[in-house]
Amino acid sequence: MSLIPRRFFSLIEGMTDPFAATPPGTPPSRPIAFIVSNMRPFAGVMLIASLVGVGVAVLELGLIWYAGRLVDHMSAGPETIWTDHGVEIALAAMVLLLLRPLVVATNAAILFSGISTNLLTQARWRSHRHLLGQPVSFFQNDFAGRLANRVANVGPAVEDTGFLVFEAFWQAAAFAIATLILLTGMDWRIALPLALWIGAFVGFVLWFAPKSGKTAEKLSHANSRVTARVVDSYSNIETVKLFAHSSREEAFARNAMRRHNLRFGALMRLFANQQATMALFNSAAMAAVIGPALWVWTQSGISVGQVAAAIAMALRLNTMTGWIMWMTVRSFEHVGTIRESLESISVPQTVTDMADSKPLVVGGGAIRIRGLVHHYGKGKGGLAGIDLDIAAGERIGVVGPSGAGKSSLVNLILRLRDFESGAIMIDGQSITDVTQDSLRAQIGMVTQDSSLLHRSVRDNILYGRPSARESEMITAAKKAEAHDFIIGLVDNKGRAGYDALVGERGVRLSGGQRQRVALARVILKDAPILILDEATSALDSEVEAAIRDTLYGMMEGKTVIAIAHRLSTIAQMDRVIVLDNGLVAEHGSHSQLLAKNGLYARFWARQSGGFIGLDA
């Protein structure tokens, strides 16, 4: 049975949309600013929470105050209590049994459903969405486990901080202020010592909490390091087993866990000292209220009931101080966690769409490259000034030794990085003037190491074109010589065929199987520009021969850029581009380049089994 109507929950939850449009630009790099930016959409909910929170505090104090008043009524004797105060007591009972539960329930619904439910999700969503916009190099330079840990942790930290602002601090402040007002109404000599104690308590909290926050931030760093190292070992478990390095991985993780243990121990020592100090503060709180109240009573300044109420207020403050201290420490811990997470989350995106970017419109798929320079910010390596024209529908092969700039060229065409100078035009449109998504939607690419999503085979192939029909997906799989092995797949949950999960990065499949699923995905995408980066490197000769016709079929009517060390796979291209030291060293057809007897001819002469001698 639900005491709160479901419709009320839906109303409160619907006041904010955690997946609404995120603010433009980089998330704030300071924890408080980050929290505030996430709480702005909750302005309406927070206003209601503020008002209801004051109501809860006033009702709690009112009950204590009325308990003292009831003591005074009882002091007059039982004979007249019901005749003189019966109606008043009945009204107090109604407040206790009806109004108080209603206000407390409303407060809980607003805090849990109005703030917590959506604030956690919103903080994670905004952080994840910003990270998705980072270039590939951003993820290559960090642990995936650490990035995921930071996105996962920032949500609960922001949510709990927002929750505590109203559930703990706002209500406690309202209760403390109302208590001082009520005690002042009894006698200012009772209120003054309490006011001084409250000031001392706030000062202690503001001194202690930042110390715990800094310690908690170090703990958060240590926790992320543990997660990153453990995930790294699990993600590369095959390498760990093949090189018999289980003990090395144990030491790698143990080092991070030992540091985490030290950080955690330091935080626990702080908490132990905090508990000891709070015991002293709580005793002082009792003395600060009860002593003056008894003294004023002896001077006939207040009644017995008022003394009882003052003592009850002191006891309530006594229980609240430990709670407030703990909540404050938690808040500073969250600030430390958020600060650590923002080291990744608040990093500006380096590859972005211009404000007036338009979708790329591809006709034939002609590519024109002028003065292309990219040295990865190092002043050397990469590309040193390439001029290249690829006609619409032309198929070119790109060869060269390691470090010649082949992958750099492809990454820049896909705008996975931004070049330092020069221009890349597709059908007359600069790739920096069009949206990244529209650019990549017009390019199909199969890489040397095609990783798959930890989803079903169906999901992985349909990633190429989610709107494709089942029959189109199966046709693509057959063209990639993948259908026969797919229908025989069964995962550990009994899901079979196209419904079988492939494992993280496709680990349940062999390298050749992963490559064929990746080929099926690109076949289904059917983009007008096709890039093959060692697309058949993971296939054995028999399978490669079987799908060679499929590859050439894929190329029909498309602009093709094929990178290969196995020269036999590109010998039939319309033209071959030879890169060396970031420049175009040679270009022409296979026969023309052999006739030149230059770099390509030497590659051809040195290859064994169709591979370039990269180190020759």
Side-chain angles (χ1 to χ4, degrees):
M1 176 182 175
S2 177
L3 296 176
I4 306 172
R6 188 178 184 85
R7 185 175 298 177
F8 182 73
F9 283 121
S10 300
L11 176 65
I12 294 296
E13 291 168 5
M15 291 183 69
T16 51
D17 179 7
F19 303 107
T22 57
T26 305
S29 59
R30 295 180 179 275
I32 300 302
F34 184 80
I35 294 169
V36 170
S37 71
N38 274 278
M39 293 186 73
R40 282 199 184 100
F42 294 79
V45 178
M46 289 190 295
L47 177 60
I48 298 172
S50 300
L51 297 174
V52 177
V54 170
V56 171
V58 170
L59 277 172
E60 289 295 315
L61 186 62
L63 289 175
I64 295 173
W65 169 82
Y66 192 75
R69 182 175 173 83
L70 194 58
V71 169
D72 284 336
H73 292 337
M74 293 169 63
S75 299
E79 296 82 5
T80 60
I81 189 169
W82 295 112
T83 55
D84 293 347
H85 308 291
V87 174
E88 177 189 306
I89 294 173
L91 289 173
M94 291 178 64
V95 170
L96 178 65
L97 296 174
L98 298 177
L99 182 59
R100 181 176 178 273
L102 176 63
V103 174
V104 171
T106 302
N107 182 65
I110 293 169
L111 292 177
F112 286 105
S113 295
I115 294 179
S116 291
T117 298
N118 291 326
L119 186 55
L120 184 152
T121 302
Q122 178 186 269
R124 279 182 173 170
W125 166 246
R126 287 184 173 186
S127 301
H128 173 61
R129 194 164 184 265
H130 182 73
L131 287 193
L132 282 178
Q134 295 288 6
V136 173
S137 58
F138 175 86
F139 298 92
Q140 292 171 339
N141 293 329
D142 209 332
F143 287 108
R146 176 159 58 192
L147 294 174
N149 191 57
R150 286 175 171 174
V151 170
N153 286 346
V154 79
V158 171
E159 174 271 322
D160 203 34
T161 302
F163 182 90
L164 292 176
V165 165
F166 293 97
E167 199 265 345
F169 307 133
W170 177 255
Q171 289 183 26
F175 185 89
I177 292 170
T179 299
L180 288 175
I181 292 172
L182 197 58
L183 291 179
T184 301
M186 293 180 185
D187 194 295
W188 67 269
R189 292 170 292 183
I190 304 175
L192 180 59
L194 182 63
L196 295 175
W197 177 88
I198 290 174
F201 174 73
V202 170
F204 171 71
V205 169
L206 295 179
W207 172 81
F208 176 82
K211 293 172 68 69
S212 66
K214 290 179 181 178
T215 305
E217 183 180 354
K218 293 178 180 178
L219 177 63
S220 183
H221 274 283
N223 188 57
S224 290
R225 187 179 293 107
V226 169
T227 302
R229 293 189 177 188
V230 169
V231 170
D232 191 44
S233 295
Y234 294 167
S235 299
N236 296 281
I237 191 64
E238 186 174 352
T239 301
V240 173
K241 298 292 185 182
L242 288 175
F243 285 88
H245 277 326
S246 294
S247 58
R248 188 183 184 89
E249 292 305 303
E250 288 172 8
F252 189 57
R254 184 170 59 246
N255 179 269
M257 291 183 183
R258 180 177 286 117
R259 185 173 299 183
H260 179 276
N261 182 259
L262 293 173
R263 303 297 190 201
F264 189 65
L267 188 62
M268 291 302 101
R269 288 192 295 273
L270 269 178
F271 287 162
N273 282 317
Q274 173 255 327
Q275 290 292 318
T277 307
M278 285 310 303
L280 177 61
F281 261 99
N282 289 339
S283 298
M286 295 291 291
V289 174
I290 297 174
L294 287 174
W295 180 74
V296 173
W297 172 72
T298 61
Q299 305 298 311
S300 300
I302 57 175
S303 67
V304 173
Q306 289 175 315
V307 173
I311 293 173
M313 291 176 198
L315 288 171
R316 176 64 176 142
L317 283 172
N318 198 357
T319 59
M320 287 181 67
T321 52
W323 174 59
I324 294 301
M325 171 59 82
W326 183 250
M327 296 301 102
T328 305
V329 169
R330 274 179 58 185
S331 297
F332 275 86
E333 286 178 19
H334 293 327
V335 168
T337 298
I338 294 169
R339 184 181 289 111
E340 191 257 345
S341 296
L342 291 180
E343 292 178 9
S344 297
I345 294 170
S346 66
V347 176
Q349 296 173 353
T350 55
V351 180
T352 57
D353 293 337
M354 297 174 63
D356 56 350
S357 293
K358 294 179 174 57
L360 175 67
V361 179
V362 175
I367 302 174
R368 187 177 191 185
I369 300 172
R370 286 292 178 271
L372 193 64
V373 175
H374 184 68
H375 296 303
Y376 298 92
K378 300 176 181 178
K380 60 180 180 179
L383 303 176
I386 284 184
D387 293 323
L388 181 64
D389 286 307
I390 305 172
E394 184 180 14
R395 302 175 302 173
I396 71 165
V398 179
V399 301
S402 295
K406 302 184 296 297
S407 295
S408 297
L409 178 63
V410 168
N411 288 338
L412 295 177
I413 292 174
L414 285 161
R415 211 181 164 209
L416 297 178
R417 301 176 183 271
D418 271 338
F419 42 81
E420 291 158 18
S421 63
I424 300 176
M425 313 284 286
I426 297 179
D427 285 344
Q429 304 156 83
S430 172
I431 65 169
T432 57
D433 293 337
V434 301
T435 62
Q436 296 175 66
D437 284 348
S438 69
L439 168 67
R440 294 166 195 149
Q442 300 296 332
I443 302 174
M445 181 170 180
V446 182
T447 61
Q448 181 177 6
D449 180 23
S450 293
S451 63
L452 303 180
L453 301 164
H454 184 23
R455 302 168 196 176
S456 67
V457 176
R458 173 181 284 100
D459 289 338
N460 274 281
I461 297 178
L462 287 176
Y463 215 75
R465 182 155 53 92
S467 61
R469 297 189 298 271
E470 181 88 359
S471 58
E472 293 175 315
M473 177 196 69
I474 293 174
T475 298
K478 287 180 177 178
K479 287 182 178 179
E481 295 292 327
H483 178 72
D484 290 343
F485 83 77
I486 289 173
I487 58 177
L489 293 175
V490 180
D491 66 22
N492 61 343
K493 299 292 184 180
R495 290 166 295 219
Y498 286 89
D499 293 320
L501 266 62
V502 301
E504 188 173 2
R505 296 178 62 84
V507 71
R508 293 181 183 276
L509 306 181
S510 69
Q513 289 173 332
R514 285 197 300 272
Q515 198 77 335
R516 279 179 276 173
V517 171
L519 281 169
R521 183 167 58 191
V522 174
I523 291 170
L524 188 63
K525 184 176 183 179
D526 195 27
I529 299 173
L530 181 63
I531 297 177
L532 304 173
D533 186 0
E534 293 292 332
T536 60
S537 62
L539 306 179
D540 57 48
S541 298
E542 185 176 350
V543 173
E544 183 191 5
I547 69 169
R548 187 171 294 162
D549 290 340
T550 296
L551 286 172
Y552 288 125
M554 288 172 62
M555 298 178 190
E556 286 300 324
K558 303 182 189 302
T559 303
V560 179
I561 301 174
I563 297 174
H565 291 146
R566 189 180 294 173
L567 297 186
S568 60
T569 63
I570 60 172
Q572 298 183 44
M573 295 290 166
D574 300 326
R575 190 158 50 111
V576 177
I577 307 298
V578 182
L579 295 181
D580 190 31
N581 293 321
L583 295 169
V584 177
E586 299 172 353
H587 68 91
S589 68
H590 171 70
S591 57
Q592 289 172 337
L593 291 177
L594 289 181
K596 286 183 178 180
N597 198 30
L599 189 60
Y600 181 81
R602 291 199 296 273
F603 286 157
W604 185 262
R606 289 170 180 161
Q607 66 180 346
S608 175
F611 289 94
I612 295 176
L614 297 179
D615 299 323

